[in-house]
Amino acid sequence: RRTAEALGELGCATVHEAIGRRGFAGPGIRPIQQGVRLAGPAVTVSSHPGDNLMIHAAVEVCEEGDVLVVAHTAPSTHGVFGELLATSLLARGVRALVTDAGVRDTAELRRMGFAVWSQYVSCQGTVKASAGSVNVPVVLGGVTVSPGDVVCADDDGVVVVGREEAAGALERGRERVSREDGTRARLAAGELGVDIYGLRATLETLGVEYVE
């Protein structure tokens, strides 16, 4: 869990680059709040559209620091999650919810400080009638999420890091931050990106000309 928390501190863009530009759940999964950056182990839910029974079932297995990931077997625009479920998850120390469906009570969720990344905001209600699965591999935005994978989330979106590669991702991410600190200082001193990154030869090869 400490590795997950440290990955969250790096931010999604850095983590995404560190693992070879993989794991991004796509631009459709967006935060309902701003300024929140976190990461935690995934507890996964496979649910039927318009049904949140399995979210209630998943609460029991959630632990402090987890991120609940709810994916659906078919597209769902329903508001599958609201402030009552958030209250239950907060009581267990869950860090956030990520879902490919909708959430409701967004103003209240923000007031409570419960972080959410979702595909939709929707007041459309649900039923509690269909069996699904908890802690099985699910697909979120085209990315497979297995239980225990690290889910990183911030204003830029959601990135999933496989559990077995989390430590390596953290090391590479920290190295990248260190390099960028050096580059930032050079840019601030007036150097140009085309020189720092050695791009003049690339521009010339591509036939790009400077016209006065």
Side-chain angles (χ1 to χ4, degrees), residues 7-38:
L7 281 169
E9 293 170 3
L10 293 178
C12 286
T14 296
V15 172
H16 181 243
E17 294 284 350
I19 61 174
R21 300 186 180 93
R22 296 180 291 110
F24 178 44
I29 309 294
R30 304 178 63 183
I32 67 164
Q33 67 285 313
Q34 293 292 307
V36 175
R37 175 182 287 186
L38 57 79

Side-chain angles (χ1 to χ4, degrees), residues 41-129:
V43 171
T44 61
V45 176
S46 177
S47 188
H48 287 266
D51 194 307
N52 69 356
L53 173 65
M54 298 312 298
I55 302 179
H56 286 272
V59 173
E60 186 174 6
V61 303
C62 288
E63 298 180 357
E64 186 171 355
D66 286 341
V67 174
L68 186 61
V69 177
V70 182
H72 291 76
T73 57
S76 176
T77 60
H78 295 73
V80 300
F81 185 91
E83 58 98 3
L84 292 178
L85 273 167
T87 300
S88 188
L89 289 175
L90 281 171
R92 302 188 73 85
V94 173
R95 302 205 73 187
L97 170 88
V98 178
T99 181
D100 59 4
V103 296
R104 59 203 298 179
D105 305 330
T106 54
E108 187 64 15
L109 292 173
R110 287 191 289 267
R111 187 198 66 77
M112 296 166 65
F114 189 84
V116 172
W117 284 257
S118 66
Q119 187 157 347
Y120 306 104
V121 171
S122 172
C123 65
Q124 186 177 13
T126 61
V127 297
K128 300 170 177 59

Side-chain angles (χ1 to χ4, degrees), residues 104-178:
R104 59 203 298 179
D105 305 330
T106 54
E108 187 64 15
L109 292 173
R110 287 191 289 267
R111 187 198 66 77
M112 296 166 65
F114 189 84
V116 172
W117 284 257
S118 66
Q119 187 157 347
Y120 306 104
V121 171
S122 172
C123 65
Q124 186 177 13
T126 61
V127 297
K128 300 170 177 59
S130 304
S133 300
V134 174
N135 273 342
V136 299
V138 298
V139 177
L140 179 81
V143 175
T144 299
V145 187
S146 296
D149 285 352
V150 179
V151 179
C152 304
D154 62 18
D155 289 349
D156 294 335
V158 174
V159 172
V160 179
V161 181
R163 183 175 187 173
E164 69 286 348
E165 63 176 328
L170 177 59
E171 181 179 357
R172 292 190 297 274
R174 285 173 169 168
E175 291 171 353
R176 183 176 181 84
V177 168
S178 179

